């Protein structure tokens, strides 16, 4: 079946983006391919004067992390550090002048170069998006950017005007909101459930939009982190994406899919005793099987080209690479490229040459193998962190029917009785009050806790927001810094339920021993807090 | 004498910049220094999963380029390339985990990090600005950015609103203009002479500003490339800067000084026969003497903190480093930092770690030595290119009293008689018509040619702009690409004199043999062109 081309979405472009012409120097480029052409047009320094003869990096092997992690593997961080240099890694080296023309070189990558990224990196990401995300239209393009924050800023710049609104989940990534607000672009909150944004809620917001009452036109852009959502950790499946997409077609909305945690799809949390039952991973080489297990991108249902997908190397290689890419229709890609030319210019050449060399060396299958290893590491971290909570609290499973965890298996945490083991029984729980509840995330880096304040002695006088802050300060004073939930309320106001507070806890970065210590601090501060 | 602090310039901030608060996560930072604090607040990946154990670069020695270049040195490019790897260079290597805490490391630089740049790089650039540019106020700050295009874009973002104007030279850098126009910010042209923007012209524009007639308020921002101006190549001395600055104080204007060519101050062009008279360079180690010879920055006269100076590593190390820094008052620096946090985030970590390692290795004096070597290389290129013109044309020196070369020594080029040597004589010149004229640049990368079209047979019917384009196309078709002058007209309209056209020719990048070939093509196409 042949796929359609993207439809014409040019009416979504902002005033400034429409006015942004092809840079005058670009007009000269039709001559660039001419054999033997001498160009004295650009203000380029001579690569002779780049002081770098070679840049190289000793890199870990693609299968450095096992596909089935044991506690030992990840626990022995200090040992790995010491032995780090003895790993059977390899070296990627980029010379100033390549032996073979067209090979990655410093004379090219450290020179002024294309805003859309190096040809090698653009080629790799194009192929990657095609094979992994499989857009439902034909003429998509990929453009290297300098990370998803940059990608989001540029998407807003080419699409939005001051005085407009952008649809977001009710809980949303603070930096994404901080990007738009100063320009007079307001987040418009849409209710969530256990899969993230609800399509019925989205339809309701759009179909009942009253321009006068809301003080702005009906939003035409939607921002979403669909996998391991920041801050709630929830993940959206294909059916929900299809439903959201259909609403966006109906109301002519552009979707910006910010998906940095795509490859951290850790799967369902199982308590330790059940974990051995977990199905063994397939054959190491079965790339297609691995990809088929992942919740697909919005691109998979994007038959009109109305999705701008943001992928990043920040979570899979390193944030300091400042490299990511967007996949979108060719019109938007071209406008983003023009926007890059007058701001960020080309991505960093050191980064492009090192990352591209590594990827060309590993090839598609090798990079997938690396991603699977990294996913396994984060899965182990997620398991370890939830295990720690299960050790310090009594966790009673329950099924929620309302709010952001509607339809999910929720754990309600109670103060543990000093019994030798944290046996769960409904009898025990009924004797005390719930402290917090959460759904172990199936993707990403965050655990989102709903804190129960309704039985706190100060609740009637202070309310939940003040108690959240009070508890947050008590934790910080005791040596544990976590994200206060109110910070992530997309419209800046306290959400529906007034008897709860929230915290976002990241299990992605700390040493495991510190994760354990953190849960100890949390348990002890929480006890004192409720006794106060 | 103790210097003053910057005055309050907060009324210059744009609406969006005023509204941009401290990012919510920043509020958590007061706890960051707390010893033993466990932070599970940020969405940081674990550096364990960065696949890079070490990044290293083999670098040229700081004194790789001699301080007195001979023709042979630069001509033998191919030989240097072959021998490149045998140069007595050194290697900078950045480990993932440093042996000494606080040393440059990949675990820090490849992690999410400060938008203002790494502490090492910020420290180096602060010290550099203090010693080299010597701001005339006390509390200046430096901020790493990702090159001057990024710095300019951010300066515009924090200072300007749509519907405002920005003061520029009558000829200006196209990308800087392309940055502002789509936002409805218009360039306001100020006349130039041989030192660039004229202070009397600036005062005249500002003092006679008619908001109704111009359709916008009096501009409060001035954009300037003061050294090796792009495109005209002219350089502004201290007295003129002082005069411009005083006008800016009087009319409350912020100066954005975009100065990438600062260290390419090549000095006066001397014909080959006079060149041996050129004063020998001072002692290699006399850093202060070298610095004292350079035209100072606007910062030197900036006693109020109204200059945002943009420095770049693009022309001194490599454009692909995507690193530069701005020096300005602490209020503007903080606003630029906030702007970076929601767009570019931190500069690339590969670049920061490599460049900072090199700079800390070379230290201040070593970097200055490198800059002097590079300056010498570009001086040689400038000399070589002008020598080529002198060989293909008869160049008659003259002193201009009007227009952008007022006060400069101008060479007027005539068709050469097939005499054995290009002896200059006024007798010879009077027999033919001038083809073009130029002032050999004393800084930067560009030669700006004024093309004389008044005697061209098509001039009466076509005018100079059409002839400029016609000639430009003829040159491109013959294999020589140069910058058409009309592209650099800041207000987009043909300038004062209608009998001339312009070209910008860059001598910075091509192999010397190609520079020579380029002048051959130029001479031959020009001959045919005028015969047509």
């Amino acid at each position: 079946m042949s796929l359609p081309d993207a439809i014409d979405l040019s009416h979504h472009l902002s005033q400034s983006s429409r006015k942004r012409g092809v840079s005058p120097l670009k007009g000269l480029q039709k001559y660039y391919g001419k054999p033997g052409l001498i160009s004295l047009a650009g203000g380029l320094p001579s690569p002779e004067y780049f002081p770098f003869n070679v840049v190289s990096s000793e890199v870990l092997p693609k299968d450095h992390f096992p596909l089935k992690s044991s506690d030992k593997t990840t626990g022995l961080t200090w040992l790995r550090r010491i032995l780090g240099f003895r790993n059977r890694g390899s070296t990627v080296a980029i010379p100033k002048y390549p032996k073979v023309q067209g090979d990655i070189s410093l004379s090219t990558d450290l020179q002024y170069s294309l805003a859309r990224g190096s040809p090698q990196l653009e080629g790799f990401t194009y192929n990657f998006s095609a094979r992994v995300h499989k857009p439902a239209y034909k003429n998509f393009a990929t453009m290297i950017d300098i990370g998803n924050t940059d990608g989001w800023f540029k998407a807003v710049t080419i699409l939005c005007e001051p005085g407009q609104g952008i649809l977001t989940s009710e809980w949303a990534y603070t930096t994404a909101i901080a990007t738009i607000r100063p320009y007079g672009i307001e987040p418009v909150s849409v209710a969530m459930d256990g899969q993230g944004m609800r399509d019925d809620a989205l339809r309701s917001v759009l179909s009942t939009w009253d321009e006068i009452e809301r003080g702005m036109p009906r939003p035409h852009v939607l921002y979403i982190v669909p996998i391991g959502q920041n801050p709630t950790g929830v993940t959206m499946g294909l059916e929900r994406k299809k439903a959201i997409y259909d609403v966006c077609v109906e109301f002519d909305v552009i979707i910006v899919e910010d998906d940095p945690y795509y490859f951290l799809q850790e799967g369902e949390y199982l308590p330790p005793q059940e974990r051995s039952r977990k199905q063994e991973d397939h054959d190491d080489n079965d790339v297609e099987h691995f990809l088929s297990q992942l919740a697909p991108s919005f691109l998979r249902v994007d038959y009109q080209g109305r999705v701008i997908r943001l992928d990043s190397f920040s979570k899979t290689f390193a944030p300091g690479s400042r490299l990511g890419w967007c996949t979108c229709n060719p019109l938007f890609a071209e406008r983003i490229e023009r926007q890059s030319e007058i701001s960020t210019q080309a991505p960093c050449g050191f980064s492009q040459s090192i990352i591209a060399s590594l990827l060309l060396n590993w090839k598609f299958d090798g990079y997938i193998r690396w991603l699977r290893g990294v996913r396994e590491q984060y899965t182990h971290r997620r398991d370890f962190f939830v295990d720690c909570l299960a050790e310090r609290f009594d966790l009673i499973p329950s099924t929620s029917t309302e709010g952001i965890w509607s339809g999910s298996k929720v754990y309600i945490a109670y103060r543990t009785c000093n019994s030798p083991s944290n046996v769960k029984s409904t009898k025990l729980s009924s004797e005390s009050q719930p402290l917090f509840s959460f759904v172990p995330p199936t993707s990403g880096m965050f655990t989102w806790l709903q804190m129960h304040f309704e039985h706190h002695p100060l609740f009637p006088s202070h309310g939940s927001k003040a108690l959240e802050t009070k508890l947050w300060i008590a934790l910080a004073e005791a040596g544990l810094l976590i994200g206060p939930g109110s910070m992530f309320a997309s419209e800046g106001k306290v959400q529906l339920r007034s008897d709860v507070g929230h915290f976002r806890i990241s299990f992605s970065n700390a040493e495991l021993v510190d994760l354990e210590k953190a849960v100890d601090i949390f348990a002890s501060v929480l006890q004192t807090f409720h006794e106060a």
Side-chain angles (χ1 to χ4, degrees), chain A residues 136 197-200 202-204 206 218 222 236-255 298 300-304 306-307:
Chain A
M197 187 184 282
R198 278 166 39 201
D199 55 295
D200 60 331
L202 176 63
R203 179 186 300 279
S204 161
L206 288 167
R218 200 177 70 202
L222 183 152
M236 187 179 284
L238 179 61
E239 284 313 304
R240 174 65 58 82
K241 279 175 175 149
K242 214 171 147 6
I244 296 264
Y245 186 84
D246 287 344
V247 177
C248 289
V249 169
E250 191 180 333
F251 292 92
D252 193 19
V253 170
I254 302 299
I255 298 171
F298 267 103
R300 192 76 62 86
V301 299
D302 184 21
Y303 63 91
Q304 294 190 325
R306 60 171 68 247
V307 173

Side-chain angles (χ1 to χ4, degrees), chain A residues 386-407:
Chain A
V386 178
D387 290 351
C388 287
L389 288 175
E391 275 166 31
R392 302 303 181 287
F393 299 94
D394 283 327
L395 301 184
I396 310 297
S398 134
T399 303
S400 176
T401 54
E402 58 160 21
I404 69 155
W405 288 326
S406 170

Side-chain angles (χ1 to χ4, degrees), chain A residues 447-518:
Chain A
T447 307
W448 182 243
L449 305 186
Q450 203 170 61
M451 308 303 301
H452 299 278
F453 291 138
E454 67 268 36
H455 304 290
H456 192 280
L458 294 177
F459 177 69
S461 58
H462 284 58
S464 62
K465 178 138 191 228
L467 287 175
E468 179 186 299
T469 303
K470 191 175 153 68
L471 177 55
W472 182 81
I473 291 172
L475 288 165
E477 295 292 345
L480 172 61
L481 200 63
I482 56 180
S486 53
M487 193 163 94
F488 300 96
S490 65
E491 288 192 20
K493 59 193 181 204
V494 177
Q495 300 297 300
L496 306 166
R497 288 184 58 180
S498 62
D499 56 340
V500 292
H502 298 87
F503 289 123
R504 188 192 77 171
I505 300 185
S506 164
F507 53 81
S508 57
N509 174 264
E511 302 280 340
L512 295 189
V513 60
D514 284 335
L515 276 183
E516 206 165 359
K517 225 186 283 176

Side-chain angles (χ1 to χ4, degrees), chain A residues 389-390 392-398 411-417 424-426 428-437 452 526:
Chain A
L389 288 175
R392 302 303 181 287
F393 299 94
D394 283 327
L395 301 184
I396 310 297
S398 134
Y411 287 88
I412 304 173
Y414 295 85
R415 188 169 306 164
T416 192
C417 295
K424 277 100 192 143
S425 84
T426 38
L428 187 129
S429 71
S430 66
E431 289 164 14
S432 61
Q433 305 300 344
L435 296 171
F436 62 91
S437 49
H452 299 278
L526 205 52

Side-chain angles (χ1 to χ4, degrees), chain A residues 232-345:
Chain A
T232 64
V234 300
T235 290
M236 187 179 284
L238 179 61
E239 284 313 304
R240 174 65 58 82
K241 279 175 175 149
K242 214 171 147 6
I244 296 264
Y245 186 84
D246 287 344
V247 177
C248 289
V249 169
E250 191 180 333
F251 292 92
D252 193 19
V253 170
I254 302 299
I255 298 171
V256 183
E257 178 182 41
D258 179 7
D259 209 356
Y261 313 110
Y262 187 79
F263 284 97
L264 309 187
Q265 297 193 35
E266 296 134 4
E268 195 194 351
Y269 169 80
L270 296 172
Q273 56 274 24
E274 298 172 39
R275 209 165 295 157
S276 54
R277 295 205 325 249
K278 192 179 164 187
Q279 214 190 328
E280 285 298 313
D281 242 299
H282 266 64
D283 175 13
D284 269 25
N285 297 318
D286 195 347
V287 169
E288 294 307 326
H289 175 76
F290 165 74
L291 294 176
S292 72
Q293 290 177 310
L294 301 174
S297 159
F298 267 103
L299 290 175
R300 192 76 62 86
V301 299
D302 184 21
Y303 63 91
Q304 294 190 325
R306 60 171 68 247
V307 173
I308 300 180
R309 178 181 165 83
L310 307 176
D311 274 282
S312 171
F313 291 110
S314 289
K315 307 301 192 289
T316 58
F317 279 156
S321 70
R322 298 321 303 132
L323 279 183
W325 75 96
C326 55
T327 309
C328 61
N329 71 58
L331 172 73
F332 289 177
E334 191 270 346
R335 291 290 93 184
I336 291 173
E337 186 177 6
R338 294 288 90 75
Q339 181 62 31
S340 300
E341 282 168 357
I342 57 90
S343 55
T344 53
Q345 294 203 342

